[in-house]
Amino acid sequence: VQLMDAIAGFGLGGSAIAMFGRVGGGIYTKAADVGADLAGKVVEDLPEDDPHNPGTIADNVGDNVGDVAGMGSDLFGSFGEATCAALLVGASSDMLVAAGWPALMFPLIISGAGIVVCMLTSFVATHLRTVCAEGDIEKALKMQLLVSTMLMTPCLYKLAFAFLPAGFFVSGVCSSPLKAFFCVGFGLWGGCLIGFVTEYYTSFSYKPVQEVSDSCRTGAATNIIYGLALGYKSVIVPVFTLAAIVFGAHTLAGMYGISLAALGMLSTLATCLTIDVYGPVCDNAGGIAEMCELDPSVREKTDALDAAGNTTAAIGKGFAIGSATLVGLALFGAFVTRLNASTGKKATVDLLEPLTFSGLLLGSMLPYWFSAMTMKSVGKAANAMVLEIKRQFDRNPNLLIPNHPDRPDYDKCISISTDASLREMIAPGALVMLSPIVVGVLMGTSCVTGLLAGSIASGVQMAISASNTGGAWDNAKKYISKGSMDATIAKEEPEMV
């Protein structure tokens, strides 16, 4: 356990940079996105990525900062934390230690195998099943995740029997290579299921988003109600899936099984991250084509790629949230394991104990406090962005004339988003990092256990709901913009056409 304590700092560092990357990147991209859309598209009716919009460069940079760097750092942090938790819990088992270094390194072997499998999976899209038509793009991206999951399953079976002892006692449970394989498999296939369920609720190819689009016919109020209801409903299947994974993994291998399930969900990380960043890359390509005034056919192609990328990006978001939940629980197990080792007695989490229940309530509140701070930060930065764009339009009316050679001051808008993201990420980051320390010092470890449990249970449901609501609204807008509602409106309300 003491040896694995040395790498706990690696997990903490990965978690810290993931949080700052996610929060800072999110503030940057949403401030630029909201500012550019409100002041440019909504008020002045400028096209998407029009070079006369002062916020268009900041908007395109924000796609990289938030959706690529932010998501990448988030998943890297989850990967590092899950690995550290598995190593720490595994090192508490005398039988795994006695089995030698290969058994202790089994969590790292899962990660290494995942990289190789994801590399091989990439050849499916580039050589075996190439994209020949616009309709094949989305299928090819989703096929990547399914193929990598299927290839990973037999690899995990072989690795479990090759590196783990025939029987071992860990986290108070008697386990085996077969049980360890099932733990990793639960996470692997559970992550795949969560990804596809998330895509179902956020893609305009399916009924939920189409219902949100239809609700727009009666105004913004019903659109908001339908969108929120969709987000709340989309929580049901992922939470049932996560609950089943936790129960099954804990039954087979205790907290070690939960950490293995988290690693199983993250084992196809390379493929999931590729699917997620596909959309922002294509979106930026479309922005460059618009700003360089290339032939409209170029923009049509990038828009088709971007539409498929936006649909499959939801898979990556659901995957990230689900894996973060299991990682949080695995770290909770590592915390209890380390607490047992330092105190010499078995720690228990009793919800009937007043301090533990108090910590549970505090932990359940933290995601709302954190979200309130980040949302207000985005609002302040977006407000400054809108005022700056309006100032430039008022100062130089030529920017509103189509094909006019004048160009705005892009640097000022980039500076607004950059300064806001760096300044506003400090308070939310301090809240997350100081909360367990302050609670632990003032109220003890039993209150910290409740704090961690409450924040996990509350945070996962809020994250899934908010993410899917936003994704559904975004794709409902695209569904209406491409004219998919025109036939319905013409049939039911011909006077509106």
Side-chain angles (χ1 to χ4, degrees), residues 6 24 33 49 60 79 87 94 102 197 224 276 297 312 377 386 396 474:
D33 193 11
D49 297 319
N60 285 326
F79 216 155
L87 291 172
D94 294 334
V197 168
I224 293 172
D276 189 76
S297 62
T312 55
S377 297
V386 169
N396 186 3
D474 190 21

Side-chain angles (χ1 to χ4, degrees), residues 201 206-220 222-231 468-469 471-477 479-480 485:
Y201 278 102
Y206 304 106
K207 188 176 180 181
V209 172
Q210 292 173 7
E211 289 181 343
V212 173
S213 302
D214 189 65
S215 70
C216 295
R217 293 163 59 186
T218 51
T222 49
N223 174 34
I224 293 172
I225 293 170
Y226 266 76
L228 290 174
L230 179 148
N468 290 349
T469 294
W473 277 331
D474 190 21
N475 281 331
K477 177 188 71 175
Y479 184 74
I480 296 170
M485 294 285 297

Side-chain angles (χ1 to χ4, degrees), residues 366-421:
L366 282 181
Y368 293 90
W369 190 358
F370 180 86
S371 299
M373 297 171 75
T374 53
M375 289 176 70
K376 187 175 180 181
S377 297
V378 170
K380 289 165 60 178
N383 186 55
M385 183 74 72
V386 169
L387 293 177
E388 171 59 25
I389 294 174
K390 183 177 182 300
R391 183 191 68 81
Q392 292 198 34
F393 284 152
D394 291 342
R395 186 176 178 181
N396 186 3
N398 291 335
L399 295 176
L400 300 176
I401 300 175
N403 302 318
H404 197 278
D406 283 7
R407 290 294 180 265
D409 182 6
Y410 302 115
D411 292 343
K412 182 62 178 177
C413 291
I414 294 173
S415 177
I416 290 173
S417 280
T418 304
D419 293 344
S421 63

Side-chain angles (χ1 to χ4, degrees), residues 73-389:
S73 62
D74 185 5
L75 291 173
F76 168 76
S78 295
F79 216 155
E81 293 158 5
T83 304
C84 291
L87 291 172
L88 185 61
V89 176
S92 66
S93 169
D94 294 334
M95 298 182 73
L96 282 178
V97 173
W101 194 250
L104 280 177
M105 293 296 106
F106 180 63
L108 289 177
I109 294 167
I110 295 173
S111 305
I115 295 173
V116 175
V117 167
C118 290
M119 288 176 61
L120 295 176
T121 303
S122 66
F123 290 108
V124 174
T126 57
H127 291 77
L128 300 180
R129 191 175 176 132
T130 56
V131 175
C132 300
E134 182 178 327
D136 296 336
I137 303 170
E138 187 176 332
K139 295 177 184 177
L141 290 172
K142 288 192 280 190
M143 182 66 69
Q144 291 286 295
L145 179 61
L146 189 59
V147 170
S148 63
T149 303
M150 294 174 65
L151 291 178
M152 194 66 192
T153 303
C155 293
L156 292 172
Y157 182 83
K158 292 290 185 182
L159 291 173
F161 280 90
F163 290 94
L164 292 174
F168 55 94
F169 195 76
V170 62
S171 302
V173 178
C174 183
S175 192
S176 65
L178 183 61
K179 291 181 178 179
F181 160 71
F182 277 120
C183 291
V184 184
F186 289 158
L188 177 67
W189 284 97
C192 188
L193 175 62
I194 290 172
F196 285 123
V197 168
T198 305
E199 190 237 353
Y200 169 76
Y201 278 102
T202 56
S203 170
F204 55 60
S205 302
Y206 304 106
K207 188 176 180 181
V209 172
Q210 292 173 7
E211 289 181 343
V212 173
S213 302
D214 189 65
S215 70
C216 295
R217 293 163 59 186
T218 51
T222 49
N223 174 34
I224 293 172
I225 293 170
Y226 266 76
L228 290 174
L230 179 148
Y232 296 149
K233 189 176 181 180
S234 69
V235 172
I236 299 172
V237 175
V239 168
F240 268 114
T241 303
L242 289 170
I245 292 172
V246 169
F247 178 79
H250 192 274
T251 301
L252 295 178
M255 280 297 180
Y256 187 63
I258 293 175
S259 60
L260 289 181
L263 280 173
M265 192 174 287
L266 289 163
S267 61
T268 55
L269 170 67
T271 296
C272 289
L273 192 57
T274 300
I275 291 173
D276 189 76
V277 303
Y278 184 90
V281 170
C282 297
D283 190 15
N284 273 349
I288 293 171
E290 183 74 27
M291 288 183 287
C292 294
E293 299 178 357
L294 300 181
D295 190 89
S297 62
V298 177
R299 186 61 195 252
E300 290 176 7
K301 290 183 174 62
T302 59
D303 283 347
L305 297 173
D306 184 29
N310 281 333
T311 301
T312 55
I315 296 177
K317 291 178 181 177
F319 173 88
I321 296 169
S323 63
T325 305
L326 292 181
V327 168
L329 192 55
L331 288 173
F332 181 69
F335 168 73
V336 173
T337 300
R338 191 65 188 89
L339 188 63
N340 293 342
S342 60
T343 59
K345 57 183 181 180
K346 187 174 178 61
T348 58
V349 180
D350 185 3
L351 290 181
L352 296 179
E353 186 182 346
L355 275 178
T356 305
F357 190 75
S358 299
L360 188 73
L361 291 177
L362 291 174
S364 300
M365 171 272 298
L366 282 181
Y368 293 90
W369 190 358
F370 180 86
S371 299
M373 297 171 75
T374 53
M375 289 176 70
K376 187 175 180 181
S377 297
V378 170
K380 289 165 60 178
N383 186 55
M385 183 74 72
V386 169
L387 293 177
E388 171 59 25
I389 294 174

